[in-house]
Amino acid sequence: MQRSCCYLAVGLTVLVAGCGKGPQAEFSLREETTDLIPEAQKVVKTTLKEKFGSPHELIAWQRFPVNYGGVKGSVTEVAAEGKSVVVEWDGDATQVAKDAPLIWVSGARTGEKTSVGSVATYDAAKKELTWTGGSDPAPVAGDKLVIGFGKSLQTGRAVYMKNCMHCHGVSGDGNGPTAQYLNPLPRDYRSGVFKFTSTLGPEKPTRDDLNRVIKYGIPGTYMPSFLWLGDKETESVIEYIRWLAIRGEFESRVDNDLAGDFSQKTIEAAAAKAKANYDAAKGKEKPEKPQSAAAAKSAAKDKFAEYLKSDVPELIDGSAKFIAEAWAHSEEAESLIVPSVARVTDDAASRERGRRLYLSDKGKCYTCHGIQGRGDGAATEDFWKKPGSEEYYTKRGLHDTWGKPLQPRNLTLGQYRGGRRPVDIFRRIYAGIKGTPMPGFGRTALKDEEIWDVVNFVMSLQYESTPTKAKAAEHVVHSK
Amino acid sequence: MGRFWAIFFVATAVIAVAVSWFSPALHWWFPGDGKAHSNLGLRIDDLFHLILVIVSITFIGTHAALGYVLWRGATIKPEDKVLFSHGSHSLEVIWTIVPAGILLFIALYQMDVWAKYRVKSFSPAETEAVAEVTARQFEWRIRYPARGKKLQPTPQPDDVYTVNELHVPTGRPVSISLRTEDVQHSFFVPELRVKQDAVPGLVIPVWFDVIDRRTGKNAMELVCAELCGWGHYKMKARVFAESDEEFEQWREKIAGEQFDDGFKKAAE
């Protein structure tokens, strides 16, 4: 009896210990960040930590057009000498309760004048609220406050960690644990580039674009449909993904600026090159002995100390401003692609016009998508240069901006990754696919009517009769 | 000590029976409201209940016998003589023939339900093929024919598509064509008692008749019942059973969205 109790105790201990928490998730740094000289690296790291926090302690930087959640309220009446207020809520007031976090977003109590407080008491019938954190300065009627700020972001994180993280990674770098088994690879959000959008070429995606992808998935890839997530969960995870993309793009912009002078690799390469030049010229003249890599790094360190004071605050501010504006702008009506004419009647004549455009020099669709639309155009056989360099990719064919090989779509499969509505395909042709070599034809090469002709042609490719056996055999012989 | 164990094991069996007895009232039972929502499902449930009764009687009988043996063994006095037995031929014959008879009965009794579900000549003659359901890692992609048309084995220009949302008309037998794009999956609608593996390379017709209207929050769950990979748990969809009218209205609506050319919005 005693012995069995002993075994039981040991077994239970093992069980409980086995269920302990794993290591805490952390946002990873970009390679460009870790390549900076240590001093610059430290600045990037602390800025990210300060402005965005960590996965377990999110910080909602209010500069960005992200809906961080919570319910907004507006003070209608001030009572008890400024110690209590009556509030008109704009939205669901059920989350207003004791201890809910409270921040003031307009009036004398905004910002750093008061610490983040919480609700002390709330009378739901009278809509009367008191708070912790003192009553100086006192609020006045018309002041605005938010209760439960950041709630949506937290919900988004929970949904993301459960459903998205294992492919898209903790920091949205498309490098989660399952990513290595997937082809095509999961999206790396950190450049702020999303492929399937309804917006013009340089714009970010809209919330609705992300919603469609999450709800209906992307056929032909590993992105499944998450239709069964609740509306609240979907909305929150969209905000979280936008926030992750903003965080990643912010890091990337700061890195790009600093990399010019403070990248270790660049400094080392420059020093090596200078040394090689020096060695080559040794016999002829008396050139100046170049700086060693270590000396160059030390010089960069001094330079950075200066740069930190003069330019870094502006760099951080400027990057945030640029990104915030870009995301806000994508939600505006002028960013959306709306065809100026209705779809041209899908008849044989329109398809024929579309086919001619497809094969013309104006469209040049065939160079990538192939003459028969099978995604086997000549461009897939070429070697291409990496953008902004003289170096070639090691693999044949096209590559996306993430540097990964990319197949032009086989249009005969009837598989439409960005949606199968005619307007989806119109938008693909009009503005191209962001992050890929698919260019936009709208406003430049093709008129809207012409784009509709191409849409009609492309959508008919799936239904074309398959070649007869005799023809197929002939083709094989011919290609040999 | 012997008496303790005798009581312990009998009590275990008693608790098991009691919990099973109360479990339907506690909703520890079939999914949804506990009832099957197709005519075939009702017959499958009848079979289940029949087998449950047989198994319950057997369980109670054997445990009563085991409890008795344990108790007798525990309470035997040291001076009592132990009875040695080399087996009973007639007893063995009985406990072989009785279960064999029961099993044979079940095997024969369930045959027409099985045939109705799986054998073409016993299935309802007029089932309407409403949709093609293609499973893939990790979602259900569904294709419907356009209004007034029949489902074709290959995609047609006016087909209507949805993901993770199967709509079917209620009140009559309908069928879906089940396929898979990658590995094996299994089409499982627990509330209809319908389960069918999706096998690569095959198109398998699955028929069912939903008896009542199931829409909105009452929609039934469709899950994958074959471990198909790391995202298996994500393969959830919903089945909406609607009146013919509602079904047509829904199809019109989806078709309208699917053939949207985005132009009208500008005119608004």
Side-chain angles (χ1 to χ4, degrees):
Chain A
M1 193 75 178
Q2 252 177 350
R3 191 181 288 173
S4 54
C5 282
C6 190
Y7 284 143
L8 198 69
V10 170
L12 283 176
T13 316
V14 170
L15 265 179
V16 172
C19 295
K21 275 189 183 170
Q24 248 172 354
E26 286 297 339
F27 289 133
S28 57
L29 290 171
R30 297 181 80 94
E31 250 177 65
E32 292 89 335
T33 308
T34 48
D35 176 45
L36 295 173
I37 59 167
E39 291 73 23
Q41 226 182 89
K42 202 178 148 201
V43 169
V44 178
K45 269 189 209 166
T46 47
T47 311
L48 284 172
K49 189 93 187 173
E50 212 173 274
K51 305 292 187 190
F52 296 93
S54 57
H56 42 93
E57 216 176 295
L58 305 172
I59 292 173
W61 196 0
Q62 288 194 58
R63 290 197 63 163
F64 297 114
V66 175
N67 178 10
Y68 292 116
V71 58
K72 275 186 195 150
S74 171
V75 174
T76 55
E77 221 177 284
V78 184
E81 291 165 5
K83 280 179 186 157
S84 105
V85 286
V86 178
V87 185
E88 192 57 48
W89 301 108
D90 175 19
D92 174 27
T94 50
Q95 50 184 308
V96 185
K98 193 177 176 321
D99 295 335
L102 177 157
I103 57 165
W104 298 85
V105 288
S106 82
R109 292 185 65 83
T110 347
E112 283 150 26
K113 285 172 202 143
T114 57
S115 59
V116 174
S118 63
V119 179
T121 60
Y122 180 62
D123 183 346
K126 291 187 197 158
K127 294 188 180 173
E128 196 172 329
L129 177 133
T130 63
W131 62 91
T132 62
S135 59
D136 182 47
V140 293
D143 279 4
K144 292 200 163 62
L145 67 163
V146 182
I147 305 283
F149 179 72
K151 254 204 157 152
S152 208
L153 199 64
Q154 282 176 337
T155 313
R157 171 189 59 191
V159 176
Y160 183 88
M161 286 303 202
K162 192 172 165 193
N163 298 295
C164 321
M165 184 279 280
H166 62 82
C167 291
H168 290 288
V170 174
S171 36
D173 55 2
N175 200 16
T178 39
Q180 56 177 314
Y181 306 109
L182 310 184
N183 179 24
L185 287 164
R187 180 67 43 247
D188 174 358
Y189 310 134
R190 294 176 309 166
S191 50
V193 176
F194 291 78
K195 277 181 163 182
F196 305 112
T197 70
S198 56
T199 50
L200 291 165
E203 300 289 344
K204 303 287 177 199
T206 64
R207 287 189 170 90
D208 188 47
D209 293 333
L210 299 176
N211 183 41
R212 288 192 78 83
V213 168
I214 291 171
K215 276 206 170 132
Y216 306 118
I218 307 179
T221 75
Y222 272 93
M223 176 74 189
S225 153
F226 287 93
L227 197 65
W228 50 267
L229 279 180
D231 285 345
K232 192 183 137 213
E233 282 79 6
T234 312
E235 273 167 33
S236 315
V237 84
I238 289 170
E239 295 305 321
Y240 190 72
I241 289 164
R242 295 171 84 245
W243 181 79
L244 275 182
I246 287 170
R247 185 192 170 279
E249 198 181 350
F250 177 79
E251 184 186 0
S252 156
R253 289 195 84 84
V254 173
D255 283 350
N256 282 349
D257 183 275
L258 296 178
D261 289 328
F262 309 111
S263 149
Q264 301 197 54
K265 265 187 211 154
T266 317
I267 294 170
E268 276 159 21
K273 203 177 169 191
K275 188 167 185 298
N277 284 347
Y278 171 75
D279 289 344
K282 239 179 194 172
K284 295 162 199 167
E285 290 162 42
K286 275 194 176 172
E288 208 179 318
K289 194 167 193 260
Q291 238 181 350
S292 72
K297 274 185 197 172
S298 161
K301 186 182 161 187
D302 296 339
K303 197 175 164 195
F304 183 74
E306 211 172 283
Y307 193 77
L308 182 62
K309 280 183 207 141
S310 62
D311 289 51
V312 168
E314 201 184 309
L315 167 65
I316 290 170
D317 191 62
S319 304
K321 190 171 170 226
F322 181 89
I323 297 167
E325 277 170 9
W327 281 92
H329 194 257
S330 71
E331 295 287 336
E332 277 167 29
E334 63 180 31
S335 307
L336 196 71
I337 302 166
V338 180
S340 64
V341 286
R343 183 182 180 183
V344 174
T345 317
D346 180 20
D347 54 16
S350 166
R351 289 177 192 176
E352 178 58 21
R353 286 196 300 272
R355 191 180 71 86
R356 284 172 189 273
L357 285 166
Y358 182 94
L359 295 171
S360 73
D361 280 345
K362 247 160 95 182
K364 278 195 179 156
C365 313
Y366 66 93
T367 51
C368 296
H369 291 286
I371 290 170
Q372 290 169 310
R374 293 183 192 280
D376 55 357
T380 61
E381 295 295 324
D382 287 345
F383 283 99
W384 293 86
K385 268 185 194 166
K386 290 181 182 174
S389 91
E390 288 300 300
E391 218 181 316
Y392 282 87
Y393 285 111
T394 49
K395 281 186 183 160
R396 275 174 205 276
L398 301 162
H399 288 72
D400 57 23
T401 49
W402 297 274
K404 302 284 188 269
L406 187 75
Q407 295 285 319
R409 192 65 42 243
N410 179 346
L411 301 168
T412 62
L413 296 177
Q415 216 169 44
Y416 304 105
R417 291 190 179 177
R420 65 178 331 124
R421 296 176 303 172
V423 65
D424 290 326
I425 297 154
F426 181 92
R427 284 169 175 158
R428 292 299 91 76
I429 300 172
Y430 191 93
I433 298 175
K434 283 146 202 168
T436 76
M438 171 77 186
F441 295 91
R443 292 186 187 175
T444 52
L446 300 178
K447 282 182 276 188
D448 282 12
E449 292 88 341
E450 291 177 317
I451 295 181
W452 279 127
D453 287 333
V454 179
V455 169
N456 289 341
F457 169 66
V458 165
M459 290 186 83
S460 76
L461 281 172
Q462 181 192 359
Y463 307 108
E464 267 193 345
S465 55
T466 46
T468 58
K469 271 183 187 167
K471 268 188 189 166
E474 199 180 71
H475 179 72
V476 171
V477 172
H478 182 73
S479 66
K480 271 178 188 169
Chain B
M1 207 62 204
R3 290 182 192 200
F4 168 78
W5 288 117
I7 293 168
F8 179 84
F9 284 115
V10 171
T12 309
V14 170
I15 290 168
V17 171
V19 169
S20 308
W21 186 265
F22 289 112
S23 57
L26 296 167
H27 298 288
W28 298 345
W29 198 232
F30 293 143
D33 58 2
K35 286 183 210 128
H37 290 270
S38 67
N39 284 315
L40 193 72
L42 289 172
R43 293 185 65 187
I44 292 172
D45 279 7
D46 288 346
L47 285 178
F48 174 84
H49 288 124
L50 173 74
I51 294 170
L52 186 65
V53 167
I54 296 170
V55 170
S56 302
I57 292 168
T58 316
F59 183 83
I60 292 166
T62 46
H63 275 77
L66 283 171
Y68 169 75
V69 170
L70 275 176
W71 186 256
R72 269 301 303 277
T75 54
I76 198 162
K77 288 182 191 113
E79 61 271 23
D80 280 354
K81 209 174 168 188
V82 174
L83 175 74
F84 284 99
S85 161
H86 291 282
S88 156
H89 192 71
S90 44
L91 204 59
E92 278 178 33
V93 169
I94 291 169
W95 79 44
T96 308
I97 286 180
V98 171
I102 292 172
L103 286 177
L104 192 65
F105 163 72
I106 295 172
L108 296 173
Y109 185 77
Q110 58 81 42
M111 264 170 69
D112 56 339
V113 176
W114 176 255
K116 186 148 189 176
Y117 183 37
R118 289 295 156 89
V119 182
K120 209 177 173 187
S121 53
F122 288 87
S123 301
E126 285 189 14
T127 52
E128 184 197 339
V130 281
E132 178 191 75
V133 177
T134 307
R136 78 172 193 117
Q137 288 172 322
F138 299 97
E139 62 186 8
W140 304 91
R141 293 213 161 248
I142 299 151
R143 177 171 70 88
Y144 304 85
R147 185 175 194 162
K149 293 203 177 167
K150 278 194 173 166
L151 183 71
Q152 302 296 320
T154 54
Q156 302 300 307
D158 51 3
D159 280 344
V160 179
Y161 295 83
T162 59
V163 193
N164 281 358
E165 212 182 286
L166 175 62
H167 286 246
V168 293
T170 183
R172 59 192 158 98
V174 292
S175 77
I176 56 132
S177 306
L178 184 63
R179 320 171 44 145
T180 164
E181 219 171 73
D182 34 49
V183 298
Q184 266 194 40
H185 299 276
S186 186
F187 176 92
F188 183 30
V189 187
E191 289 183 65
L192 298 178
R193 315 287 188 254
V194 166
K195 191 191 268 179
Q196 171 62 52
D197 275 11
V199 184
L202 294 184
V203 182
I204 302 171
V206 184
W207 80 269
F208 49 85
D209 51 344
V210 192
I211 25 188
D212 48 359
R213 211 174 137 261
R214 301 294 300 268
T215 56
K217 282 194 172 169
N218 271 329
M220 294 171 287
E221 206 169 48
L222 157 62
V223 291
C224 178
E226 179 76 53
L227 181 60
C228 57
W230 50 263
H232 171 59
Y233 68 98
K234 287 180 184 176
M235 264 187 93
K236 261 196 264 178
R238 312 198 74 192
V239 183
F240 295 76
E242 305 158 320
S243 67
D244 283 4
E245 204 178 305
E246 283 172 319
F247 177 70
E248 289 304 346
Q249 270 173 10
W250 168 82
R251 183 154 60 181
E252 290 288 290
K253 187 182 132 240
I254 293 293
E257 283 168 20
Q258 188 180 306
F259 294 104
D260 179 18
D261 66 357
F263 176 64
K264 265 181 222 155
K265 277 177 196 149
E268 273 170 9

